[in-house]
Amino acid sequence: MTDQMYIKTNVTNVPNERGYYGEFGGRFVPETIIPALDELEEAYAEAMADPEFHQELAYLQRTYTGRPTPITHAKRLSEYLGGAQIYLKREDLAHTGAHKINNALGQGLLAKRMGKKRIIAETGAGQHGVGTATAMALLGLDCHVYMGSVDIARQQPNVFRMKLLGANVIPVESGSKTLKDAINEAMRDWVTNVETTFYLLGSALGPHPYPMIVRDFQSVIGTEAREQIQEMTGRLPDVCMACVGGGSNAIGLFHAFRDDEDVELIGIEAGGHGIESGEHASRFSDFDISRPGILHGTRSYVMQNSDGQIMETHSVSAGLDYPSVGPEHAHLRSLERAFYTMATDEEALEAFQKLSKLEGIIPALESSHAVAEVIKRAPKMPKDSVILVNLSGRGDKDLDTVIGILGQ
Ligand SMILES: *Cc1c(COP(=O)(O)O)cnc(C)c1O
């Protein structure tokens, strides 16, 4: 076997039966959770083998989410940058305005199939909470969302949305009263109520089989996009780009292209105030404070100090503001199948305004990080080359943040 074949096998056939992506992933959880993860893994395998499950999900994607989402040729942006042709995969047009609904509906259907009527989730800024509450309202499941009390105070509109959608929002008062404390509480709830309760995880993170399940439910993005871009341009893109928080929208796009060796895959992390400042969430750019470790049940790159204490991260976009990253991204990076870079808050804000003015599309601040990399890279590429960028969400939710910064 040549080296290249070895790499290809490893890109394609992950995770292995123990949930590893190379040296990343796995299950680092209390013993009491293992049976629940086994049960989930088994139910998921059964669902995947059942054509009825796929039909039901496809039906909801078509009639509720509004799939397939289109691809837009960003002609004016392409012209303005004077290089590559830029194509946007429009997850901002999915119901609720972002890709998170793809995963929430998939896991919701799985929970129903498993006979679990009580759904728990955690949320930071509230986007995963809103996505979950939406899908649970549709499916008629009982939804409880853990949220740090600091986040509740900061994100009132999303708290109200969740309540309107029928979810019970549970304030978390422990630790820093933010996302990581909410995750801990949700895990504790799951251990206690595992018989009746389904834990709906929001990104390609957590113990096996979650990173695989979330990837698979998000891979509809790449599967659609791969077909659409060939229809529109007659070929595969030169580059695929997506922003990387936990990594679900990026892996959802990358997965369909993993075996297309000529298609470059680029993930963009949150550079915050710049790498030198230490105030960012670039797990793959700053190896003084980021190295392999364990967080929330999986082994991946984690931002931590020399004692292994998890670092505070910063990003203008809540969705990218997380100290670890999905294990499959760590794996793709170590194989050099995917490359990772970052955009600062400032660059993202500039991209946010550029895309709004030139295309009439206000992107989410998360997605603006990917657009910022397009702005850097497209001018250096030939005019007949193609960049496919995932627009993970729309920017309406970010207007208050942007007004707060640009208003000054
Ligand atoms: C949550 C979110 C992200 C980041 O999450 P991933 O799991 O990395 O995709 C990116 N964009 C939007 C619009 C989001 O809501």
Side-chain angles (χ1 to χ4, degrees):
M1 211 159 65
T2 66
D3 276 348
Q4 203 176 8
M5 281 171 73
Y6 176 73
I7 286 170
K8 194 166 169 183
T9 308
N10 273 287
V11 168
T12 305
N13 301 329
V14 286
N16 70 11
E17 62 292 340
R18 284 166 51 245
Y20 277 87
Y21 305 78
E23 59 174 299
F24 304 104
R27 281 181 177 175
F28 296 87
V29 293
E31 206 56 42
T32 41
I33 290 186
I34 298 287
L37 293 171
D38 284 339
E39 185 194 8
L40 175 63
E41 194 178 350
E42 197 173 314
Y44 178 67
E46 275 172 18
M48 284 293 107
D50 180 357
E52 248 177 64
F53 181 83
H54 290 276
Q55 275 163 23
E56 203 176 347
L57 183 57
Y59 176 80
L60 292 181
Q61 285 168 340
R62 196 170 64 247
T63 62
Y64 186 72
T65 309
R67 305 208 71 88
T69 58
I71 282 186
T72 302
H73 183 193
K75 274 196 191 145
R76 295 193 66 217
L77 181 65
S78 306
E79 228 161 81
Y80 170 82
L81 295 171
Q85 297 308 305
I86 299 149
Y87 290 82
L88 311 169
K89 175 62 172 166
R90 301 290 307 278
E91 290 303 291
D92 62 313
L93 293 179
H95 178 49
T96 69
H99 67 289
K100 287 197 173 68
I101 190 79
N102 302 330
N103 172 54
L105 275 181
Q107 286 194 45
L109 281 183
L110 190 58
K112 240 183 152 162
R113 197 184 157 90
M114 293 171 75
K116 312 241 176 192
K117 296 193 171 64
R118 182 174 180 270
I119 308 298
I120 56 169
E122 78 289 325
T123 197
Q127 285 150 247
H128 174 52
V130 170
T132 303
T134 302
M136 297 315 109
L138 175 74
L139 299 174
L141 296 167
D142 186 22
C143 180
H144 303 265
V145 181
Y146 285 92
M147 189 169 185
S149 59
V150 167
D151 289 333
I152 288 179
R154 284 194 287 215
Q155 307 289 344
Q156 277 301 314
N158 275 342
V159 174
F160 187 68
R161 272 187 199 107
M162 284 185 267
K163 288 182 176 167
L164 205 55
L165 293 160
N168 173 30
V169 180
I170 307 168
V172 174
E173 303 289 355
S174 56
S176 58
K177 305 175 188 179
T178 58
L179 177 63
K180 67 176 167 37
D181 314 291
I183 293 176
N184 290 339
E185 284 305 314
M187 284 271 188
R188 209 162 295 154
D189 180 318
W190 201 32
V191 175
T192 315
N193 302 299
V194 75
E195 294 284 307
T196 57
T197 300
F198 187 98
Y199 182 23
L200 205 156
L201 220 143
S203 190
L205 290 164
H208 179 65
Y210 281 107
M212 172 181 76
I213 290 178
V214 176
R215 173 195 73 193
D216 291 352
F217 286 140
Q218 291 294 0
S219 67
V220 67
I221 300 171
T223 306
E224 287 175 5
R226 194 172 181 282
E227 223 179 278
Q228 290 167 318
I229 194 86
Q230 290 185 95
E231 247 166 56
M232 290 175 84
T233 67
R235 64 189 197 77
L236 289 172
D238 297 284
V239 187
C240 289
M241 291 187 192
C243 64
V244 182
S248 71
N249 87 89
I251 206 72
L253 178 68
F254 293 175
H255 194 58
F257 296 92
R258 67 196 183 282
D259 291 329
D260 301 316
E261 281 161 43
D262 295 335
V263 179
E264 197 176 351
L265 307 176
I266 299 175
I268 297 95
E269 299 184 294
H273 295 315
I275 299 305
E276 331 68 56
S277 73
E279 295 172 13
H280 60 78
S282 294
R283 292 77 34 120
F284 294 139
S285 292
D286 190 350
F287 300 112
D288 290 340
I289 52 172
S290 181
R291 58 182 186 279
I294 288 160
L295 188 64
H296 303 139
T298 191
R299 184 170 191 276
S300 184
Y301 275 77
V302 179
M303 290 176 61
Q304 51 192 311
N305 69 14
S306 50
D307 298 329
Q309 289 282 348
I310 306 304
M311 305 276 292
E312 289 279 320
T313 53
H314 164 80
S315 171
V316 70
S317 64
L320 304 186
D321 196 356
Y322 182 74
S324 187
V325 57
E328 191 162 1
H329 286 290
H331 180 56
L332 291 177
R333 180 182 166 277
S334 73
L335 294 175
E336 298 186 359
R337 177 62 192 94
F339 299 90
Y340 297 83
T341 181
M342 58 89 200
T344 63
D345 288 357
E346 208 178 307
E347 290 166 335
L349 282 160
E350 236 178 83
F352 178 91
Q353 295 169 81
K354 263 280 139 17
L355 196 69
S356 300
K357 283 208 180 85
L358 290 178
E359 298 292 342
I361 298 169
I362 302 175
L365 280 174
E366 290 85 359
S367 324
S368 301
H369 287 71
V371 178
E373 179 62 19
V374 170
I375 291 173
K376 289 179 206 170
R377 199 176 274 246
K380 299 178 208 152
M381 294 170 65
K383 283 203 165 62
D384 60 350
S385 57
V386 172
I387 297 177
L388 173 63
V389 52
N390 194 34
L391 216 65
S392 55
R394 64 174 179 234
D396 304 50
K397 67 178 178 57
D398 297 315
L399 291 185
D400 280 346
T401 306
V402 177
I403 290 166
I405 298 168
L406 297 181
Q408 286 163 13

